[in-house]
Amino acid sequence: MSYRAPVKDMLFVMKELAGIDAVAQLPGHAEAGYDTAAAVLEECAKLNEDVIAPLNRPGDLNPSSFANGEVRTTPGFKQAFRQFADGGWQGLQHPVELGGQGLPKLIHAACAEMVNSANLSFALCPLLTDGAIEALLTAGSDEQKTTYIPKMVDGTWTGSMNLTEPQAGSDLSMVRTRAEPQPDGSYKIFGTKIFITYGEHDLAENIVHLVLARVVGAPEGVKGISLFIVPKFLLNADGSLGARNDVHCVSIEHKLGIKASPTAVLQYGDHGGAIGYVIGQENRGLEYMFVMMNAARFGVGVQGIAVAERAYQQAVAYARDRVQSRPVDGSLPAAAAIIHHPDVKRMLMTMRAHVEGCRAMALVAAAAFDAAHAHPDADVRKQNQAFYEFMVPLVKGFSTEMSLDVASLGVQVHGGMGFIEETGAAQHLRDAKILTIYEGTTAIQANDLVGRKTARDGGAMARAVAGQIEATERALAGRDSVAARAMLKRLAAARQAFVDVVGFIAGQTKASPNAAFAGSVPYLLLAGNLVGGWQMARALIAAEDRLADDVDADFMRAKITTARFYADHILSKVPGLRDSIVDGAAGVTEMAVEAF
Amino acid sequence: MSYRAPVKDMLFVMKELAGIDAVAQLPGHAEAGYDTAAAVLEECAKLNEDVIAPLNRPGDLNPSSFANGEVRTTPGFKQAFRQFADGGWQGLQHPVELGGQGLPKLIHAACAEMVNSANLSFALCPLLTDGAIEALLTAGSDEQKTTYIPKMVDGTWTGSMNLTEPQAGSDLSMVRTRAEPQPDGSYKIFGTKIFITYGEHDLAENIVHLVLARVVGAPEGVKGISLFIVPKFLLNADGSLGARNDVHCVSIEHKLGIKASPTAVLQYGDHGGAIGYVIGQENRGLEYMFVMMNAARFGVGVQGIAVAERAYQQAVAYARDRVQSRPVDGSLPAAAAIIHHPDVKRMLMTMRAHVEGCRAMALVAAAAFDAAHAHPDADVRKQNQAFYEFMVPLVKGFSTEMSLDVASLGVQVHGGMGFIEETGAAQHLRDAKILTIYEGTTAIQANDLVGRKTARDGGAMARAVAGQIEATERALAGRDSVAARAMLKRLAAARQAFVDVVGFIAGQTKASPNAAFAGSVPYLLLAGNLVGGWQMARALIAAEDRLADDVDADFMRAKITTARFYADHILSKVPGLRDSIVDGAAGVTEMAVEAF
């Protein structure tokens, strides 16, 4: 099933909701306005539609394989990666002086959605490389930056993130990998890392592993973790590849999905010690890693949107094609394409509304990131940074949970054919299931939302978001369309439920932590649902205005109907979530652990 | 991961909610009281825990394979099937005079849950055989019954159901398989059937295919469909196996899950015509098939409960074992088993509450089936039949949709390990995805609920259920526990929402069918959620009473907490669903088909 990048939808969001024109006013982004975005997206669409998307199913059928310490990726991946890097896509958001394009995150996020829709397994390699670049930009020395980043930007090398160990998953305080300082200022690294995405592969000539490890004698817990560069091949003085470093892939995992992306077990130091170089200061590794993780978390949220979009497109195509049963209203004399049946439409609308809501949320967050980094006014930067940080767990947590429902509906629309692997619908469901787990499970995102993003400031940022939503409600109240009234009703109820929950969470997190955290994931789902719905409300307003101007009427009508669907079918879930959070702690906390 | 049959939970439901004592009062079921049930369940548990459950993962790894027209099942399946049949489990609910045990459906349903938890792929063979037996009992001649049923009951032969064709899935009016009458009263059958579960295998010496086909010259549409017996091997006059019939397996499917169960494409009549024998009268095939389908639909609902129970048990075991992070309340000095973390408990409680609610719904429905068939009073039979028929789409539709969420949570509890196939958690998710599709998709169940079960009697049966729920509310109102008050609040709100929706559906189905059917699946989910919650409320009352008598206090406290969890986390979703149904049609119907 072919993929068509939703360029028009993306540009609508960028222009009407995320404010690409304002982003183009930021210092350094003068050329990143609407026209640039449109041109970049069109170019990006071509590569992903024509080259990368066709490799998605072959990657599932013929995954990365492991033999003798080496990983062979799916045939075609290497050439596609070359085209991807040569086209400048790896460097899209990275600094011009290090070989990148220097474009805003707003444009990068849309392009990232495309490559992930095209091929989630393939796209993980650039995603992890982006994370490594971010960490080096944050804390690397100038020499480290100039040594490693340009080679990663041009795709000669790739990056990997090495956090997890068998006993240290969500809990990084338990990392045991050991770093021994050497007289020359380098370190020898010893340990085992698991679940390392693209930790070994044949797409590039070197891999820059960023590795969390504990320097001998460092404090216990997270305050004793440092971050190291451990290249697969060491570098000679002239920058050419030197000796093979003592890091070796000992196996790759047999997974439910994203099969083409190799998930490596890496063994460090079995032959004398892997040479590593500390990034920044010792014992501050987790802090640097969080920079990388926040970028990666946002990126995984985009993956959720991407796989949901792909599943949606495939379901629509099948529903137009498959003929079965007469319409219930008797409007056609014979069996019709199933897209005419109300429940099939309801499923497709659910998929579509979720994708559009989450995409708008992500792109609005990306624009805030850009303002947080480039706006000349420090206060504006600070506000945008706080808004962006509030959004990250929602983009990651809600978009990925939503992607599971959407991918499952995608199978359902196909009926029995959906369960047959040849159809390809099931792959999206299998692929999507990792998204709620890696880069921090939904519960970890929810802990972040509850602890750092809500309780720490007493709910101030959350209430500021509610205030912005109220402004949208006032705009809706000034309109007399049926759709605007329907949206206003649901949005106001959902926003009020959110305010109730913020009060509960901000009040309970210290006093009664088990009660607050029992509601953490429902709170995340509530907040993500609401913010998506808020953006759909803004889309509805924009689309009604464009429609009044007689611009692209069918497109705008579809936007309005999708927003209305979101209001009545998705936002309508929010008050129930409030009840679960505010009243539901006892049902969790009163259960004795022994009683399960 | 081993499976432990939840015998105690099942017996609690049978005694306190489904009324096994009343079932034992029915003519013919005098020996089917609580003690019998307890003994049968214990015996059933042993076979499933020790023999059938250990074959679940091997079946996924080494599925049924096809070569040269023959299917070889997973090693061990054949011996296990022999033990299953020899133990009398295939004949549990079938008439004593045809070799069965004649036990009520209430006991059979609990036993069916066990074999499905143990091994969904294995259990499909008995499930389909049960369906074939039901159809023969309904419409077969005495000779057909005595010829085929005892051999199926003792496991010498198995049954299969042949409905689907490439162009005829949900829409059976499009069946094209052709039956040509022969001078001797038999028919020659020609056509292709797909998605035939256990349509070919090596577990038994013969397969009794029940096949929907159209007699030459029959009316168009569903009124021209007849049902035929087409045995894989024809029978000699003495009942011994004779010539191979002209029905051949040409391939089996490569599926997302239930991989050990062969899903066959069967070709009828490529070598002169398969010999078939009509069941009952020509052109009434669909009517007979519905009997079989209703039994099978209930059975698939039980599969949903079963796979969810297995996923729950596996998640609990992992959560007790996996140590990661300190509890948020600081109650332990070091990292704890993750079952101590509130969100992990919330996930496990969600799984548990769903399983318990759906199990109670199914067993209460099974008891109604027993009364509908055996009660001496015709009015009581009729009431129970109407109640049972109302429950079938809920048991099938809601339990299977719930099983997807539960199996997905099961993976989530495992974190990264859940995504690795070796863990086995992902298999439950892959297996479960067929359950919302086969034997009628969730939308088909919802159409049945809206059309035949709600609109046809103007909502009378639905309102009668609401009336029974109100009686439970009155019982709750007479209690002063916190849990009873919490349950009463949610149950009353959910029942009121249901009544609102019944009014909408009963009023709109003819006047505005697209609007009614746009809400059909949400209505099914609402009703299933409510009926499960109603049974949890009854369980709460029973458990409080037993606790007051100081019976099995820990067990009863867990029942109460689980009921309370259901109220605040699951029943609390119902009002939002009402809003989607009553207000949400426009968001579906106003979208032009071209706009997707």
Side-chain angles (χ1 to χ4, degrees):
Chain A
M1 164 37 222
S2 60
Y3 163 67
R4 286 279 295 152
V7 172
K8 191 171 176 179
D9 286 84
M10 289 171 167
L11 289 171
F12 174 83
V13 174
M14 292 166 93
K15 184 177 174 65
E16 303 289 351
L17 309 180
I20 183 102
D21 295 337
V23 170
Q25 303 291 319
L26 296 170
H29 288 323
E31 286 167 28
Y34 184 85
D35 293 341
T36 299
V40 170
L41 265 56
E42 283 298 348
E43 203 56 41
C44 190
K46 272 185 218 159
L47 175 69
N48 285 301
E49 293 171 358
D50 299 344
V51 177
I52 299 173
L55 292 169
N56 191 47
R57 177 95 183 110
D60 194 56
L61 287 171
N62 186 10
S64 285
S65 60
F66 174 78
N68 306 317
E70 296 191 347
V71 169
R72 187 183 295 266
T73 56
T74 303
F77 269 44
K78 191 167 180 172
Q79 296 82 340
F81 183 69
R82 202 60 264 147
Q83 276 189 262
F84 179 85
D86 288 350
W89 301 106
Q90 182 72 63
L92 202 66
Q93 64 181 327
H94 299 304
V96 173
E97 59 275 21
L98 292 167
Q101 311 285 319
L103 286 174
K105 190 177 184 81
L106 177 55
I107 294 177
H108 178 260
C111 293
E113 185 194 312
M114 288 187 207
V115 65
N116 279 291
S117 283
N119 195 324
L120 208 59
S121 285
F122 176 91
L124 277 163
C125 189
L127 189 151
L128 273 296
T129 301
D130 277 346
I133 292 171
E134 293 284 349
L136 286 169
L137 286 172
T138 303
S141 67
D142 286 345
E143 192 197 335
Q144 287 170 340
K145 288 180 196 171
T146 55
T147 301
Y148 295 103
I149 293 178
K151 292 281 197 186
M152 289 198 274
V153 159
D154 73 12
T156 311
W157 304 343
T158 68
S160 84
M161 289 168 60
N162 293 239
L163 289 73
T164 305
E165 300 177 10
Q167 78 295 343
S170 296
D171 185 0
L172 290 171
S173 72
M174 298 173 91
V175 159
R176 284 190 205 138
T177 294
R178 195 170 89 246
E180 296 182 354
Q182 303 299 306
D184 67 353
S186 71
Y187 295 75
K188 284 201 171 171
I189 311 288
F190 302 87
T192 303
K193 293 287 181 180
I194 64 169
F195 295 163
I196 310 308
T197 302
Y198 281 96
E200 178 58 33
H201 62 79
D202 58 3
L203 300 183
E205 63 183 36
N206 202 3
I207 303 173
V208 182
H209 301 296
L210 297 203
V211 182
L212 286 186
R214 205 176 280 287
V215 176
V216 176
E220 296 262 303
V222 296
K223 290 178 179 165
I225 294 175
S226 305
L227 182 61
F228 297 89
I229 301 170
V230 186
K232 175 177 168 184
F233 287 96
L234 297 168
L235 304 182
N236 297 321
D238 64 357
S240 64
L241 294 190
R244 184 72 166 79
N245 206 350
D246 186 11
V247 44
H248 296 280
C249 178
V250 294
S251 65
I252 62 173
E253 306 292 352
H254 174 220
K255 307 188 298 293
L256 174 63
I258 54 164
K259 295 189 181 192
S261 96
T263 303
V265 177
L266 292 183
Q267 199 65 34
Y268 287 86
D270 273 7
H271 308 283
I275 307 295
Y277 312 102
V278 73
I279 297 179
Q281 297 171 22
E282 280 186 7
N283 300 334
R284 291 183 60 188
L286 207 67
E287 178 188 331
Y288 309 144
M289 196 56 107
F290 260 106
V291 172
M292 173 163 154
M293 275 203 288
N294 273 322
R297 285 174 176 185
F298 181 90
V300 173
V302 171
Q303 292 193 299
I305 299 161
V307 71
E309 169 71 29
R310 183 86 187 252
Y312 167 71
Q313 290 192 17
Q314 183 157 357
V316 169
Y318 186 80
R320 284 194 201 290
D321 189 55
R322 171 72 170 169
V323 172
Q324 201 78 176
S325 302
R326 281 186 66 195
V328 287
D329 63 357
S331 59
L332 292 172
I338 62 172
I339 199 168
H340 289 276
H341 299 321
D343 189 64
V344 173
K345 283 180 82 175
R346 183 193 61 81
M347 290 193 276
L348 296 175
M349 287 303 291
T350 304
M351 300 171 80
R352 176 188 181 100
H354 266 306
V355 170
E356 290 194 11
C358 287
R359 178 185 293 132
M361 172 164 66
L363 294 182
V364 165
F369 176 95
D370 290 324
H373 284 75
H375 200 280
D377 182 328
D379 278 348
V380 175
R381 286 202 303 274
K382 196 175 156 193
Q383 284 163 11
N384 277 282
Q385 183 64 27
F387 179 84
Y388 175 72
E389 288 185 2
F390 191 82
M391 288 296 130
V392 168
L394 308 188
V395 171
K396 202 291 186 179
F398 185 69
S399 302
T400 61
E401 291 286 343
M402 151 313 265
S403 78
L404 291 182
D405 292 340
V406 170
S408 184
L409 283 173
V411 176
Q412 190 72 18
V413 168
H414 286 79
M417 288 306 297
F419 200 65
I420 307 300
E421 285 287 4
E422 279 77 358
T423 307
Q427 186 191 341
H428 304 311
L429 178 59
R430 289 189 287 98
D431 284 354
K433 189 67 201 91
I434 193 58
L435 303 179
T436 60
I437 296 172
Y438 66 16
E439 298 302 336
T441 63
T442 306
I444 296 292
Q445 307 304 320
N447 284 354
D448 180 46
L449 179 66
V450 166
R452 272 186 290 273
K453 310 293 169 68
T454 303
R456 191 152 73 183
D457 71 0
M461 185 65 229
R463 290 193 186 92
V465 171
Q468 291 184 265
I469 295 171
E470 282 186 272
T472 301
E473 290 168 35
R474 286 190 293 276
L476 287 167
R479 313 180 83 84
D480 59 4
S481 70
V482 174
R485 285 203 303 275
M487 174 58 86
L488 175 57
K489 178 178 170 185
R490 300 290 171 213
L491 186 62
R495 187 256 313 149
Q496 184 56 56
F498 172 72
V499 171
D500 295 348
V501 167
V502 168
F504 173 82
I505 294 285
Q508 297 293 311
T509 303
K510 283 211 170 143
S512 181
N514 285 325
F517 285 98
S520 61
V521 167
Y523 170 40
L524 182 150
L525 297 178
L526 186 163
N529 182 326
L530 171 65
V531 171
W534 169 35
Q535 297 310 322
M536 294 302 275
R538 296 180 63 221
L540 184 156
I541 291 170
E544 286 191 348
D545 289 348
R546 293 300 85 72
L547 195 58
D549 302 339
D550 211 18
V551 174
D552 217 351
D554 289 344
F555 179 83
M556 297 305 165
R557 271 191 214 101
K559 286 272 166 269
I560 294 165
T561 301
T562 305
R564 174 145 191 212
F565 182 93
Y566 194 110
D568 287 331
H569 292 259
I570 301 175
L571 267 175
S572 55
K573 294 178 181 173
V574 165
L577 285 166
R578 183 248 329 271
D579 295 344
S580 295
I581 298 161
V582 174
D583 294 341
V588 178
T589 58
E590 288 182 4
M591 192 75 169
V593 161
E594 300 72 30
F596 282 98
Chain B
M1 167 31 227
S2 60
Y3 163 67
R4 286 280 295 153
V7 172
K8 192 170 175 179
D9 285 85
M10 289 170 166
L11 289 171
F12 174 85
V13 174
M14 291 166 94
K15 183 176 174 67
E16 303 289 351
L17 309 179
I20 183 102
D21 296 336
V23 170
Q25 303 292 320
L26 295 171
H29 288 323
E31 286 168 30
Y34 183 85
D35 293 340
T36 299
V40 170
L41 264 56
E42 284 298 347
E43 204 56 40
C44 189
K46 273 186 218 158
L47 175 70
N48 285 299
E49 291 171 0
D50 300 344
V51 177
I52 298 173
L55 293 170
N56 191 46
R57 177 96 183 108
D60 194 55
L61 288 170
N62 187 8
S64 285
S65 60
F66 174 78
N68 305 320
E70 295 191 349
V71 169
R72 186 182 298 264
T73 56
T74 303
F77 270 43
K78 190 168 180 170
Q79 295 82 341
F81 182 69
R82 202 61 264 146
Q83 277 188 260
F84 179 85
D86 288 349
W89 302 106
Q90 181 72 64
L92 203 66
Q93 64 181 328
H94 298 304
V96 174
E97 60 274 22
L98 292 167
Q101 311 284 320
L103 286 173
K105 189 176 185 83
L106 177 54
I107 294 178
H108 178 260
C111 294
E113 185 193 312
M114 290 188 206
V115 65
N116 279 291
S117 283
N119 195 326
L120 208 59
S121 284
F122 176 90
L124 276 163
C125 189
L127 189 150
L128 272 297
T129 301
D130 276 346
I133 292 171
E134 292 284 351
L136 286 170
L137 286 172
T138 303
S141 66
D142 286 346
E143 191 197 335
Q144 287 170 341
K145 288 180 196 171
T146 54
T147 302
Y148 295 103
I149 293 177
K151 291 280 196 186
M152 289 199 275
V153 160
D154 73 10
T156 311
W157 304 343
T158 69
S160 83
M161 288 167 61
N162 292 239
L163 289 73
T164 304
E165 301 178 11
Q167 78 295 343
S170 297
D171 184 0
L172 290 172
S173 72
M174 296 172 93
V175 160
R176 283 190 206 138
T177 294
R178 196 171 88 245
E180 296 182 355
Q182 303 298 306
D184 67 352
S186 72
Y187 295 75
K188 284 200 169 173
I189 311 287
F190 301 89
T192 302
K193 293 287 181 179
I194 64 169
F195 294 163
I196 309 308
T197 302
Y198 281 96
E200 178 60 32
H201 62 79
D202 58 2
L203 300 183
E205 64 184 35
N206 202 4
I207 303 174
V208 182
H209 301 295
L210 297 203
V211 183
L212 286 186
R214 205 177 279 288
V215 177
V216 176
E220 297 263 302
V222 297
K223 290 180 180 163
I225 295 175
S226 305
L227 181 61
F228 297 88
I229 300 169
V230 185
K232 178 177 165 183
F233 286 96
L234 297 168
L235 303 183
N236 296 321
D238 65 356
S240 64
L241 293 190
R244 184 73 167 79
N245 206 350
D246 185 11
V247 45
H248 296 279
C249 177
V250 294
S251 65
I252 62 173
E253 306 292 350
H254 173 221
K255 306 188 300 292
L256 175 63
I258 55 165
K259 294 188 182 193
S261 95
T263 304
V265 177
L266 293 182
Q267 198 65 35
Y268 288 84
D270 273 7
H271 307 284
I275 307 296
Y277 311 102
V278 73
I279 298 178
Q281 298 171 21
E282 279 187 9
N283 300 334
R284 290 182 61 187
L286 208 67
E287 178 188 332
Y288 309 145
M289 195 57 106
F290 259 106
V291 173
M292 175 162 154
M293 275 202 289
N294 272 322
R297 284 174 175 184
F298 181 89
V300 173
V302 171
Q303 293 194 298
I305 299 161
V307 71
E309 169 71 30
R310 183 88 187 250
Y312 168 72
Q313 291 191 17
Q314 183 157 359
V316 169
Y318 185 81
R320 284 195 201 291
D321 188 56
R322 171 72 171 168
V323 171
Q324 202 77 175
S325 301
R326 281 186 67 195
V328 288
D329 63 358
S331 59
L332 293 172
I338 61 172
I339 199 168
H340 289 276
H341 298 321
D343 189 64
V344 173
K345 282 180 83 175
R346 184 193 61 81
M347 288 194 278
L348 296 176
M349 287 302 291
T350 305
M351 299 170 80
R352 177 187 180 98
H354 266 308
V355 169
E356 290 193 11
C358 286
R359 177 184 295 132
M361 172 164 67
L363 293 182
V364 165
F369 176 95
D370 292 323
H373 283 73
H375 201 282
D377 182 327
D379 277 349
V380 175
R381 285 202 303 276
K382 196 175 157 193
Q383 283 163 13
N384 277 283
Q385 181 65 24
F387 180 84
Y388 174 72
E389 288 185 3
F390 190 81
M391 288 297 131
V392 169
L394 308 188
V395 171
K396 201 296 185 175
F398 185 70
S399 303
T400 60
E401 291 286 342
M402 143 325 256
S403 78
L404 291 182
D405 291 342
V406 170
S408 184
L409 283 173
V411 175
Q412 190 72 19
V413 168
H414 286 79
M417 288 306 297
F419 201 64
I420 308 300
E421 286 286 3
E422 279 77 358
T423 306
Q427 185 191 341
H428 304 312
L429 178 59
R430 290 189 287 98
D431 284 354
K433 189 65 199 97
I434 193 58
L435 304 179
T436 59
I437 295 172
Y438 66 16
E439 297 302 335
T441 63
T442 306
I444 296 293
Q445 307 304 320
N447 284 354
D448 180 47
L449 179 66
V450 167
R452 271 185 292 271
K453 310 294 169 67
T454 304
R456 192 152 71 183
D457 71 1
M461 184 65 228
R463 290 194 187 91
V465 171
Q468 291 183 265
I469 295 172
E470 280 187 273
T472 301
E473 290 168 37
R474 286 191 293 274
L476 288 167
R479 312 179 84 84
D480 59 4
S481 71
V482 175
R485 284 203 303 275
M487 175 58 88
L488 175 56
K489 178 177 169 186
R490 300 291 170 212
L491 186 63
R495 187 256 314 150
Q496 184 56 55
F498 172 72
V499 171
D500 294 348
V501 166
V502 168
F504 174 82
I505 294 284
Q508 297 293 311
T509 303
K510 283 212 170 143
S512 180
N514 284 324
F517 285 98
S520 60
V521 167
Y523 170 40
L524 182 150
L525 297 177
L526 185 163
N529 182 326
L530 170 65
V531 171
W534 168 35
Q535 298 309 322
M536 296 302 275
R538 296 180 63 220
L540 184 155
I541 291 169
E544 286 191 348
D545 289 347
R546 294 300 84 73
L547 194 58
D549 303 339
D550 211 18
V551 174
D552 215 351
D554 290 345
F555 179 83
M556 297 304 166
R557 272 192 214 100
K559 285 273 166 266
I560 294 165
T561 302
T562 306
R564 174 144 190 213
F565 182 93
Y566 195 110
D568 286 331
H569 292 260
I570 301 176
L571 267 176
S572 55
K573 294 178 181 173
V574 166
L577 284 167
R578 183 248 328 268
D579 295 344
S580 295
I581 298 161
V582 175
D583 293 342
V588 178
T589 58
E590 288 181 3
M591 192 75 169
V593 161
E594 300 71 31
F596 282 97

